[in-house]
Amino acid sequence: PTSPQSRTTRSPVTDIGRIGAKVDKDLTMQKRSIHSYAWIRAWTPEAAEYVAPKAAAKGFNHVVIPMRDHATILPAEIDRIFSANNM
C-alpha cells in the first residue's frame, strides 16, 4: 500500500492500471501509436496506403515504421499519405 501523500503525487496516466484508480486527466488528447506490423508483414510504400487509414480509423495518431530496409522509407510519400489521414 502507498501512503496517501504519495498517491496525490502520482500521475493519473501511471495509475490507469491500478484497480479503482481515478483518472482525472483527459486521455482523449493522448497520442496513440501502433506498429505497422499489426496489419502488414513487411513495410513497403504501398503498405502505407493500406495501414494509414486503418490506423486512423482506430484512433491512432502515429504508425511505427520499421527501419529494416531503408530503400522502402520514402519520407515525402509517408508524409503525403499520413497527412491525408490526419496523422
Side-chain angles (χ1 to χ4, degrees):
T2 59
S3 69
Q5 186 177 24
S6 67
R7 268 195 195 156
T8 59
T9 59
R10 292 179 74 168
S11 164
V13 174
T14 60
D15 281 350
I16 290 173
R18 273 191 324 115
I19 295 175
K22 291 183 179 180
V23 178
D24 52 345
K25 186 175 181 179
D26 181 10
L27 296 178
T28 59
M29 297 304 293
Q30 296 292 319
K31 298 291 182 185
R32 296 178 57 212
S33 300
I34 190 164
H35 203 287
S36 58
Y37 285 176
W39 286 287
I40 59 171
R41 290 180 166 214
W43 181 263
T44 64
E46 295 77 25
E49 295 278 2
Y50 178 78
V51 170
K54 292 209 174 279
K58 296 286 184 185
F60 291 99
N61 308 94
H62 303 280
V63 172
V64 177
I65 300 170
M67 301 294 282
R68 292 183 179 180
D69 181 1
H70 292 263
T72 64
I73 308 300
L74 305 174
E77 273 300 290
I78 292 169
D79 180 51
R80 179 188 65 76
I81 294 165
F82 284 24
S83 292
N85 287 279
N86 298 313
M87 301 177 77

